[in-house]
Amino acid sequence: MLENRDEILKMDDAELSRLCELEFFKGTGNGGQKRNKTSSAARVRLAGTAYTAADCTERSQHRNRAAALAKLRIAVAFGERETPAQPPERFECALGHAGYPLWLAHILDVAAEEKWELKAVAAKIGCTPSSLVKKLARDPALWQFANAERMRLELPPLRRP
């Protein structure tokens, strides 16, 4: 359990990189000589934890490191719960926004605290259950996670809006 989850999710790439072990390696698959002959793929591991993320979609080592750090933030947001739950400051947050991992973590904190009962979660966040379901559905990983948690608690899966 991370003691400073929210601070980690708020860090910029340079700060977060200092807490991580970085590894660069040769990517595999399509992409030609650049991809197969240079160490442009990046893997990051948050020191002292099991959280890791990797990316090799770009030809640039710097872009792959940034993408791996973004994936690492999402992994931390999915994996760490804090109680008592704090609702996010605002209900709206774009998937690509820098604050999305923190928003996601707060939504999941509230959902876990309310045992994934949609009406209770929506009331605590300050929205309607249908708008909450729409927010969950826009992120495929979040949608899958939400339904897995609901099934674990023997609740019916959510239906797509």
Side-chain angles (χ1 to χ4, degrees), residues 70-108:
K71 289 178 181 180
L72 181 67
R73 286 185 191 93
I74 295 295
V76 169
F78 275 118
E80 295 291 321
R81 298 285 62 84
E82 287 189 359
T83 55
Q86 255 187 313
E89 292 179 10
R90 61 182 195 271
F91 180 63
E92 295 295 325
C93 190
L95 291 171
H97 190 273
Y100 182 73
L102 183 62
W103 178 88
L104 174 64
H106 285 208
I107 291 286
L108 294 174

Side-chain angles (χ1 to χ4, degrees), residues 22-28 31-43 55-66 68:
L22 299 171
E23 178 187 356
F24 299 103
F25 57 96
K26 293 178 184 174
T28 60
Q33 290 181 356
K34 172 72 173 164
R35 182 179 193 140
N36 298 329
K37 291 189 177 182
T38 62
S39 297
S40 60
R43 182 179 299 117
D55 194 84
C56 64
T57 57
E58 298 285 333
R59 293 176 70 174
S60 163
Q61 187 180 81
H62 299 291
R63 286 191 207 138
N64 286 333
R65 181 178 55 100

Side-chain angles (χ1 to χ4, degrees), residues 139-151:
D139 181 347
L142 176 56
W143 184 257
Q144 186 175 2
F145 183 84
N147 277 324
E149 287 297 301
R150 287 179 58 85
M151 290 178 66

